[in-house]
């Protein structure tokens, strides 16, 4: 009975009916179907046109571009278009791209130019969908029951995730029941996308369409630009030299030597008609914590090499073993494993108490994911080594090797993705301000994308290991090299994790140390203490507040309260 009660409690917590989400569900389902059935295994449709190295580099270029472009589309969505329009434009681009690929595939000699154009449109659509569709679904749950506490907000996100994961898994499972022909897949995908798009528009009148409110990325760029323009200035020696320096510091957190140059951004320039050259101390602090993620991101480059191999050579191995076997099975296996691991981590770590414990758990979670990348490479290395042995002995080696022998490497690929990628996103949230936490997915995907570009370089460097097909390639040597790199990277990761420790981002406090007593307040207001500070202004061209909005509102509120106290004291 206790188990049943626990299950019912969890079900009521995660599952809730939403009319708005129902119309978005179809679009999520079809996007998942198209990606698992066609886009994610695109390399299995290319070897007929190109050899293995060229096909792998083309897929890595496409997937890396999708990942890197997500930051650009996230900025455009938040600052200019809004999430609803981004979902609409990305779906239209997807439909046109699928139609072009179908048109190229239905000819005996594929029209390469049309195929390229269709692939470009799908690449842009996938990048735009990655930063808008899930966020748009979140908006529906937030608008339906506006959260008043962090616990309420977490519950709404959990319910949104339940809808998202359900639609994604169902779409992935549906992909296994369709033929592997590129012509049929592309036309079925295009028709399915049109139907889902029409269903989405039927529910558009019920959807919550939040207007663009400005992007935190523009403020990050502004701080960096300001610091570069002030690079020739001397560092501040007194707190009064820094703009809106409520804490009275001369060294802004984080104290990292290679980010010290950013401390020049909030230095007040005593020149007329130049109020737009100052950043606040709070802004600089948030940018320094964001850039402080670079060491952690660097450890994911080797991880990305393994991940890129999983979406290229792993699928080619499966196709080479059995051309009639549905390769989407392994793609679905990776997806389901990753979602299951991420869901289990959310449940296990949900009730952890202190923030320090949470951060330690995040670091351990990422480290375990890195360890599984080593295990994945070891299992992947065994299969091509055995395959090359069979090629030398048998004329038809595929008869003597079962395709399901590849299952462990795909399972471990999903495990490492569910552990490391999810852990990286949670760790990112602990290191940056609230306004930047919405960008955890674009920044994380960008790092993975850079790793996929790096994979292209590795394929070029070790080109002697790759032949025209699997039988003439030495994938065993390539996987052995990745195993060694992954192990070294695992050791480096633990050093980086130790360097971070339990250091986390904390917002700037209220006016601290600005006044020692009421008497000092009466004699000198806060604005009088910093006479060189120009008036505060908004950076965004759209008239929105710059990204430390919560901190600024608290600070402005404290300033107004202080002035009320002054007026009250003076009247007395």
């Amino acid at each position: 009975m206790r188990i049943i009660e626990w299950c019912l409690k969890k079900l009521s917590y995660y599952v809730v009916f939403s009319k708005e989400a129902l119309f978005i569900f179809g679009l999520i389902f079809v996007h998942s179907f198209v990606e698992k059935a066609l886009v994610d295994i695109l390399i299995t449709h290319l070897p007929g046109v190109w050899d293995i190295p060229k096909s792998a580099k083309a897929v890595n270029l496409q997937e890396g571009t999708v990942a890197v472009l997500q930051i650009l589309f996230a900025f455009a969505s938040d600052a200019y278009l809004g999430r609803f329009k981004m979902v609409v434009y990305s779906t239209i681009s997807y439909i046109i791209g699928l139609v072009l690929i179908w048109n190229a595939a239905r000819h005996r000699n594929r029209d390469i130019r049309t195929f390229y154009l269709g692939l470009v449109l799908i690449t842009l659509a996938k990048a735009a969908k990655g930063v808008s569709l899930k966020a748009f679904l979140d908006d529906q749950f937030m608008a339906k029951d506006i959260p008043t506490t962090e616990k309420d907000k977490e519950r709404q996100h959990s319910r949104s995730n339940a809808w998202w994961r359900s639609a994604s898994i169902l779409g992935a499972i549906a992909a296994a029941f369709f033929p592997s022909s590129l012509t049929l897949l592309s036309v079925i995908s295009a028709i399915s996308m049109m139907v889902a798009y029409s269903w989405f528009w039927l529910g558009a009148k019920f959807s919550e369409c939040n207007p663009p409110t400005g992007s935190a990325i523009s403020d990050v760029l502004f701080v960096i630009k300001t610091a570069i323009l002030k690079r020739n200035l001397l560092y501040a020696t007194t707190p009064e030299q820094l703009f809106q320096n409520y804490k009275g510091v001369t060294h802004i957190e984080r104290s990292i030597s290679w980010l010290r140059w950013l401390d020049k951004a909030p230095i007040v320039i005593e020149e007329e008609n130049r109020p737009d050259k100052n950043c606040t101390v709070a802004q600089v602090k948030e940018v320094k914590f964001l850039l402080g993620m670079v060491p952690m991101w660097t450890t994911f480059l080797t991880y990305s090499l393994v991940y890129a191999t999983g979406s290229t050579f792993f699928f080619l191995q499966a196709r080479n073993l059995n051309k009639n076997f549905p390769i989407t099975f392994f793609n679905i296996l990776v997806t389901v494993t990753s979602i299951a691991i991420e869901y289990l981590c959310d449940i296990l770590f949900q009730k952890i108490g202190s923030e320090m414990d949470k951060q330690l758990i995040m670091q351990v979670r990422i480290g375990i994911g890195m360890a599984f990348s080593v295990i994945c490479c070891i299992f992947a290395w065994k299969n091509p080594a055995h395959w090359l042995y069979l090629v030398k002995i048998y004329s038809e080696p595929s008869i003597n090797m079962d395709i399901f022998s590849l299952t462990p490497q795909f399972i471990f690929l999903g495990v490492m993705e569910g552990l490391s990628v999810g852990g990286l996103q949670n760790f990112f949230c602990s290191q940056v301000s609230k306004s930047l936490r919405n960008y955890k997915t674009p920044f994380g995907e960008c790092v993975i994308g850079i790793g996929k570009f790096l994979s292209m370089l590795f394929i070029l460097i070790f080109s002697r290991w790759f032949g025209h097909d699997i039988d003439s390639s030495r994938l065993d040597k390539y996987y052995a090299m990745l195993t060694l790199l992954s192990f070294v990277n695992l050791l480096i990761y633990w050093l980086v994790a130790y360097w971070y420790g339990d250091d986390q981002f904390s917002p700037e406090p209220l006016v601290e140390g600005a006044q020692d007593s009421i008497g000092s307040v009466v004699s000198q207001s806060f604005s009088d203490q910093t006479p060189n500070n120009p008036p505060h202004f908004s950076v965004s061209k759209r008239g929105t507040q710059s990204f430390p909005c919560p901190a600024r509102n608290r600070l402005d509120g404290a300033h107004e309260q202080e002035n009320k106290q002054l007026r009250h004291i003076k009247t007395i």
Side-chain angles (χ1 to χ4, degrees), residues 432-457:
V432 300
S433 62
K434 287 185 178 180
S435 59
L436 283 168
R437 289 174 189 174
N438 293 331
Y439 296 93
K440 61 181 181 180
T441 299
F443 276 107
E445 288 294 323
C446 183
V447 175
I448 302 297
I450 294 173
K452 290 186 176 182
F453 290 147
L454 187 63
S455 179
M456 297 171 57
L457 180 62

PDB file of all heavy atoms in Angstrom, residues 432-457:
ATOM      1  N   VAL A 432      25.813  30.844 -11.896  1.00  0.00           N
ATOM      2  CA  VAL A 432      25.440  32.090 -12.566  1.00  0.00           C
ATOM      3  C   VAL A 432      24.205  32.689 -11.915  1.00  0.00           C
ATOM      4  O   VAL A 432      23.541  32.054 -11.078  1.00  0.00           O
ATOM      5  CB  VAL A 432      25.184  31.853 -14.070  1.00  0.00           C
ATOM      6  CG1 VAL A 432      26.423  31.303 -14.755  1.00  0.00           C
ATOM      7  CG2 VAL A 432      23.993  30.914 -14.276  1.00  0.00           C
ATOM      8  N   SER A 433      23.875  33.901 -12.308  1.00  0.00           N
ATOM      9  CA  SER A 433      22.703  34.594 -11.781  1.00  0.00           C
ATOM     10  C   SER A 433      21.426  33.988 -12.349  1.00  0.00           C
ATOM     11  O   SER A 433      21.442  33.236 -13.328  1.00  0.00           O
ATOM     12  CB  SER A 433      22.774  36.074 -12.136  1.00  0.00           C
ATOM     13  OG  SER A 433      22.762  36.241 -13.539  1.00  0.00           O
ATOM     14  N   LYS A 434      20.291  34.356 -11.760  1.00  0.00           N
ATOM     15  CA  LYS A 434      19.009  33.804 -12.184  1.00  0.00           C
ATOM     16  C   LYS A 434      18.688  34.155 -13.634  1.00  0.00           C
ATOM     17  O   LYS A 434      18.088  33.360 -14.358  1.00  0.00           O
ATOM     18  CB  LYS A 434      17.895  34.312 -11.271  1.00  0.00           C
ATOM     19  CG  LYS A 434      17.897  33.694  -9.886  1.00  0.00           C
ATOM     20  CD  LYS A 434      16.701  34.160  -9.079  1.00  0.00           C
ATOM     21  CE  LYS A 434      16.670  33.498  -7.707  1.00  0.00           C
ATOM     22  NZ  LYS A 434      15.501  33.931  -6.898  1.00  0.00           N
ATOM     23  N   SER A 435      19.071  35.342 -14.057  1.00  0.00           N
ATOM     24  CA  SER A 435      18.747  35.766 -15.415  1.00  0.00           C
ATOM     25  C   SER A 435      19.486  34.966 -16.473  1.00  0.00           C
ATOM     26  O   SER A 435      19.047  34.884 -17.615  1.00  0.00           O
ATOM     27  CB  SER A 435      19.071  37.254 -15.587  1.00  0.00           C
ATOM     28  OG  SER A 435      20.442  37.491 -15.340  1.00  0.00           O
ATOM     29  N   LEU A 436      20.624  34.359 -16.097  1.00  0.00           N
ATOM     30  CA  LEU A 436      21.402  33.564 -17.046  1.00  0.00           C
ATOM     31  C   LEU A 436      21.093  32.082 -16.967  1.00  0.00           C
ATOM     32  O   LEU A 436      21.550  31.322 -17.819  1.00  0.00           O
ATOM     33  CB  LEU A 436      22.899  33.788 -16.810  1.00  0.00           C
ATOM     34  CG  LEU A 436      23.476  35.104 -17.341  1.00  0.00           C
ATOM     35  CD1 LEU A 436      24.869  35.338 -16.796  1.00  0.00           C
ATOM     36  CD2 LEU A 436      23.505  35.102 -18.869  1.00  0.00           C
ATOM     37  N   ARG A 437      20.335  31.663 -15.974  1.00  0.00           N
ATOM     38  CA  ARG A 437      20.060  30.238 -15.819  1.00  0.00           C
ATOM     39  C   ARG A 437      19.193  29.696 -16.947  1.00  0.00           C
ATOM     40  O   ARG A 437      19.228  28.503 -17.237  1.00  0.00           O
ATOM     41  CB  ARG A 437      19.385  29.984 -14.473  1.00  0.00           C
ATOM     42  CG  ARG A 437      20.333  30.168 -13.301  1.00  0.00           C
ATOM     43  CD  ARG A 437      19.625  30.049 -11.964  1.00  0.00           C
ATOM     44  NE  ARG A 437      20.523  30.436 -10.877  1.00  0.00           N
ATOM     45  CZ  ARG A 437      20.166  30.549  -9.606  1.00  0.00           C
ATOM     46  NH1 ARG A 437      18.902  30.318  -9.263  1.00  0.00           N
ATOM     47  NH2 ARG A 437      21.041  30.905  -8.688  1.00  0.00           N
ATOM     48  N   ASN A 438      18.417  30.559 -17.589  1.00  0.00           N
ATOM     49  CA  ASN A 438      17.616  30.112 -18.731  1.00  0.00           C
ATOM     50  C   ASN A 438      18.481  29.700 -19.916  1.00  0.00           C
ATOM     51  O   ASN A 438      17.986  29.067 -20.855  1.00  0.00           O
ATOM     52  CB  ASN A 438      16.657  31.219 -19.170  1.00  0.00           C
ATOM     53  CG  ASN A 438      15.587  31.502 -18.137  1.00  0.00           C
ATOM     54  OD1 ASN A 438      15.194  30.621 -17.382  1.00  0.00           O
ATOM     55  ND2 ASN A 438      15.118  32.743 -18.085  1.00  0.00           N
ATOM     56  N   TYR A 439      19.763  30.057 -19.871  1.00  0.00           N
ATOM     57  CA  TYR A 439      20.668  29.750 -20.983  1.00  0.00           C
ATOM     58  C   TYR A 439      21.537  28.536 -20.692  1.00  0.00           C
ATOM     59  O   TYR A 439      22.565  28.335 -21.348  1.00  0.00           O
ATOM     60  CB  TYR A 439      21.551  30.966 -21.285  1.00  0.00           C
ATOM     61  CG  TYR A 439      20.776  32.162 -21.767  1.00  0.00           C
ATOM     62  CD1 TYR A 439      20.330  33.123 -20.874  1.00  0.00           C
ATOM     63  CD2 TYR A 439      20.480  32.317 -23.108  1.00  0.00           C
ATOM     64  CE1 TYR A 439      19.602  34.224 -21.308  1.00  0.00           C
ATOM     65  CE2 TYR A 439      19.751  33.411 -23.556  1.00  0.00           C
ATOM     66  CZ  TYR A 439      19.324  34.358 -22.641  1.00  0.00           C
ATOM     67  OH  TYR A 439      18.599  35.445 -23.071  1.00  0.00           O
ATOM     68  N   LYS A 440      21.142  27.722 -19.733  1.00  0.00           N
ATOM     69  CA  LYS A 440      21.955  26.549 -19.390  1.00  0.00           C
ATOM     70  C   LYS A 440      22.042  25.573 -20.564  1.00  0.00           C
ATOM     71  O   LYS A 440      23.107  25.007 -20.832  1.00  0.00           O
ATOM     72  CB  LYS A 440      21.376  25.852 -18.155  1.00  0.00           C
ATOM     73  CG  LYS A 440      19.960  25.323 -18.323  1.00  0.00           C
ATOM     74  CD  LYS A 440      19.456  24.668 -17.046  1.00  0.00           C
ATOM     75  CE  LYS A 440      18.034  24.127 -17.236  1.00  0.00           C
ATOM     76  NZ  LYS A 440      17.525  23.487 -16.002  1.00  0.00           N
ATOM     77  N   THR A 441      20.921  25.388 -21.281  1.00  0.00           N
ATOM     78  CA  THR A 441      20.941  24.466 -22.423  1.00  0.00           C
ATOM     79  C   THR A 441      21.740  25.019 -23.602  1.00  0.00           C
ATOM     80  O   THR A 441      22.591  24.302 -24.149  1.00  0.00           O
ATOM     81  CB  THR A 441      19.507  24.134 -22.858  1.00  0.00           C
ATOM     82  OG1 THR A 441      18.819  23.507 -21.767  1.00  0.00           O
ATOM     83  CG2 THR A 441      19.507  23.191 -24.049  1.00  0.00           C
ATOM     84  N   PRO A 442      21.538  26.274 -24.046  1.00  0.00           N
ATOM     85  CA  PRO A 442      22.340  26.786 -25.172  1.00  0.00           C
ATOM     86  C   PRO A 442      23.843  26.777 -24.905  1.00  0.00           C
ATOM     87  O   PRO A 442      24.626  26.389 -25.778  1.00  0.00           O
ATOM     88  CB  PRO A 442      21.823  28.216 -25.345  1.00  0.00           C
ATOM     89  CG  PRO A 442      20.441  28.194 -24.805  1.00  0.00           C
ATOM     90  CD  PRO A 442      20.478  27.228 -23.668  1.00  0.00           C
ATOM     91  N   PHE A 443      24.259  27.187 -23.699  1.00  0.00           N
ATOM     92  CA  PHE A 443      25.691  27.198 -23.403  1.00  0.00           C
ATOM     93  C   PHE A 443      26.251  25.781 -23.352  1.00  0.00           C
ATOM     94  O   PHE A 443      27.345  25.512 -23.853  1.00  0.00           O
ATOM     95  CB  PHE A 443      25.961  27.931 -22.089  1.00  0.00           C
ATOM     96  CG  PHE A 443      26.053  29.425 -22.227  1.00  0.00           C
ATOM     97  CD1 PHE A 443      25.044  30.245 -21.772  1.00  0.00           C
ATOM     98  CD2 PHE A 443      27.155  30.012 -22.832  1.00  0.00           C
ATOM     99  CE1 PHE A 443      25.117  31.621 -21.905  1.00  0.00           C
ATOM    100  CE2 PHE A 443      27.243  31.381 -22.977  1.00  0.00           C
ATOM    101  CZ  PHE A 443      26.222  32.191 -22.513  1.00  0.00           C
ATOM    102  N   GLY A 444      25.496  24.864 -22.737  1.00  0.00           N
ATOM    103  CA  GLY A 444      25.952  23.482 -22.685  1.00  0.00           C
ATOM    104  C   GLY A 444      26.045  22.859 -24.063  1.00  0.00           C
ATOM    105  O   GLY A 444      27.017  22.167 -24.391  1.00  0.00           O
ATOM    106  N   GLU A 445      25.029  23.100 -24.900  1.00  0.00           N
ATOM    107  CA  GLU A 445      25.050  22.572 -26.258  1.00  0.00           C
ATOM    108  C   GLU A 445      26.173  23.190 -27.090  1.00  0.00           C
ATOM    109  O   GLU A 445      26.761  22.531 -27.952  1.00  0.00           O
ATOM    110  CB  GLU A 445      23.702  22.830 -26.934  1.00  0.00           C
ATOM    111  CG  GLU A 445      22.563  21.969 -26.403  1.00  0.00           C
ATOM    112  CD  GLU A 445      22.766  20.504 -26.708  1.00  0.00           C
ATOM    113  OE1 GLU A 445      23.286  20.174 -27.792  1.00  0.00           O
ATOM    114  OE2 GLU A 445      22.415  19.677 -25.852  1.00  0.00           O
ATOM    115  N   CYS A 446      26.471  24.446 -26.831  1.00  0.00           N
ATOM    116  CA  CYS A 446      27.552  25.108 -27.560  1.00  0.00           C
ATOM    117  C   CYS A 446      28.890  24.430 -27.288  1.00  0.00           C
ATOM    118  O   CYS A 446      29.703  24.240 -28.196  1.00  0.00           O
ATOM    119  CB  CYS A 446      27.608  26.584 -27.168  1.00  0.00           C
ATOM    120  SG  CYS A 446      28.852  27.535 -28.068  1.00  0.00           S
ATOM    121  N   VAL A 447      29.116  24.046 -26.036  1.00  0.00           N
ATOM    122  CA  VAL A 447      30.357  23.343 -25.690  1.00  0.00           C
ATOM    123  C   VAL A 447      30.418  22.003 -26.417  1.00  0.00           C
ATOM    124  O   VAL A 447      31.466  21.630 -26.970  1.00  0.00           O
ATOM    125  CB  VAL A 447      30.445  23.140 -24.164  1.00  0.00           C
ATOM    126  CG1 VAL A 447      31.663  22.302 -23.804  1.00  0.00           C
ATOM    127  CG2 VAL A 447      30.508  24.480 -23.456  1.00  0.00           C
ATOM    128  N   ILE A 448      29.296  21.265 -26.418  1.00  0.00           N
ATOM    129  CA  ILE A 448      29.248  19.989 -27.140  1.00  0.00           C
ATOM    130  C   ILE A 448      29.489  20.212 -28.632  1.00  0.00           C
ATOM    131  O   ILE A 448      30.181  19.428 -29.293  1.00  0.00           O
ATOM    132  CB  ILE A 448      27.882  19.309 -26.923  1.00  0.00           C
ATOM    133  CG1 ILE A 448      27.614  19.079 -25.429  1.00  0.00           C
ATOM    134  CG2 ILE A 448      27.824  17.992 -27.674  1.00  0.00           C
ATOM    135  CD1 ILE A 448      28.575  18.170 -24.749  1.00  0.00           C
ATOM    136  N   GLY A 449      28.947  21.304 -29.170  1.00  0.00           N
ATOM    137  CA  GLY A 449      29.144  21.611 -30.594  1.00  0.00           C
ATOM    138  C   GLY A 449      30.593  21.887 -30.931  1.00  0.00           C
ATOM    139  O   GLY A 449      31.094  21.446 -31.969  1.00  0.00           O
ATOM    140  N   ILE A 450      31.274  22.618 -30.051  1.00  0.00           N
ATOM    141  CA  ILE A 450      32.708  22.880 -30.273  1.00  0.00           C
ATOM    142  C   ILE A 450      33.482  21.569 -30.269  1.00  0.00           C
ATOM    143  O   ILE A 450      34.403  21.365 -31.063  1.00  0.00           O
ATOM    144  CB  ILE A 450      33.242  23.844 -29.201  1.00  0.00           C
ATOM    145  CG1 ILE A 450      32.585  25.221 -29.372  1.00  0.00           C
ATOM    146  CG2 ILE A 450      34.761  23.974 -29.293  1.00  0.00           C
ATOM    147  CD1 ILE A 450      32.927  26.193 -28.262  1.00  0.00           C
ATOM    148  N   GLY A 451      33.081  20.642 -29.374  1.00  0.00           N
ATOM    149  CA  GLY A 451      33.720  19.328 -29.355  1.00  0.00           C
ATOM    150  C   GLY A 451      33.495  18.556 -30.638  1.00  0.00           C
ATOM    151  O   GLY A 451      34.371  17.804 -31.085  1.00  0.00           O
ATOM    152  N   LYS A 452      32.335  18.738 -31.263  1.00  0.00           N
ATOM    153  CA  LYS A 452      32.071  18.048 -32.534  1.00  0.00           C
ATOM    154  C   LYS A 452      32.883  18.657 -33.671  1.00  0.00           C
ATOM    155  O   LYS A 452      33.301  17.939 -34.587  1.00  0.00           O
ATOM    156  CB  LYS A 452      30.579  18.095 -32.840  1.00  0.00           C
ATOM    157  CG  LYS A 452      29.774  17.225 -31.885  1.00  0.00           C
ATOM    158  CD  LYS A 452      28.316  17.124 -32.249  1.00  0.00           C
ATOM    159  CE  LYS A 452      27.608  16.160 -31.291  1.00  0.00           C
ATOM    160  NZ  LYS A 452      26.184  15.962 -31.615  1.00  0.00           N
ATOM    161  N   PHE A 453      33.107  19.955 -33.616  1.00  0.00           N
ATOM    162  CA  PHE A 453      34.038  20.555 -34.579  1.00  0.00           C
ATOM    163  C   PHE A 453      35.447  20.000 -34.372  1.00  0.00           C
ATOM    164  O   PHE A 453      36.185  19.763 -35.330  1.00  0.00           O
ATOM    165  CB  PHE A 453      34.051  22.076 -34.426  1.00  0.00           C
ATOM    166  CG  PHE A 453      32.779  22.743 -34.880  1.00  0.00           C
ATOM    167  CD1 PHE A 453      32.320  23.883 -34.247  1.00  0.00           C
ATOM    168  CD2 PHE A 453      32.053  22.239 -35.934  1.00  0.00           C
ATOM    169  CE1 PHE A 453      31.146  24.511 -34.655  1.00  0.00           C
ATOM    170  CE2 PHE A 453      30.876  22.849 -36.358  1.00  0.00           C
ATOM    171  CZ  PHE A 453      30.426  23.988 -35.713  1.00  0.00           C
ATOM    172  N   LEU A 454      35.797  19.806 -33.100  1.00  0.00           N
ATOM    173  CA  LEU A 454      37.107  19.231 -32.787  1.00  0.00           C
ATOM    174  C   LEU A 454      37.213  17.802 -33.315  1.00  0.00           C
ATOM    175  O   LEU A 454      38.299  17.359 -33.724  1.00  0.00           O
ATOM    176  CB  LEU A 454      37.319  19.265 -31.268  1.00  0.00           C
ATOM    177  CG  LEU A 454      38.701  18.871 -30.744  1.00  0.00           C
ATOM    178  CD1 LEU A 454      39.763  19.830 -31.252  1.00  0.00           C
ATOM    179  CD2 LEU A 454      38.702  18.849 -29.215  1.00  0.00           C
ATOM    180  N   SER A 455      36.094  17.077 -33.318  1.00  0.00           N
ATOM    181  CA  SER A 455      36.085  15.717 -33.856  1.00  0.00           C
ATOM    182  C   SER A 455      36.442  15.702 -35.340  1.00  0.00           C
ATOM    183  O   SER A 455      37.115  14.780 -35.827  1.00  0.00           O
ATOM    184  CB  SER A 455      34.708  15.092 -33.644  1.00  0.00           C
ATOM    185  OG  SER A 455      34.652  13.788 -34.169  1.00  0.00           O
ATOM    186  N   MET A 456      35.999  16.733 -36.065  1.00  0.00           N
ATOM    187  CA  MET A 456      36.371  16.835 -37.479  1.00  0.00           C
ATOM    188  C   MET A 456      37.883  16.942 -37.631  1.00  0.00           C
ATOM    189  O   MET A 456      38.481  16.329 -38.526  1.00  0.00           O
ATOM    190  CB  MET A 456      35.700  18.062 -38.098  1.00  0.00           C
ATOM    191  CG  MET A 456      34.187  18.015 -38.117  1.00  0.00           C
ATOM    192  SD  MET A 456      33.446  19.594 -38.611  1.00  0.00           S
ATOM    193  CE  MET A 456      34.205  19.843 -40.204  1.00  0.00           C
ATOM    194  N   LEU A 457      38.506  17.704 -36.740  1.00  0.00           N
ATOM    195  CA  LEU A 457      39.963  17.854 -36.777  1.00  0.00           C
ATOM    196  C   LEU A 457      40.650  16.533 -36.476  1.00  0.00           C
ATOM    197  O   LEU A 457      41.644  16.177 -37.132  1.00  0.00           O
ATOM    198  CB  LEU A 457      40.383  18.930 -35.775  1.00  0.00           C
ATOM    199  CG  LEU A 457      41.883  19.220 -35.668  1.00  0.00           C
ATOM    200  CD1 LEU A 457      42.428  19.731 -37.001  1.00  0.00           C
ATOM    201  CD2 LEU A 457      42.153  20.229 -34.547  1.00  0.00           C
TER     202      LEU A 457
END
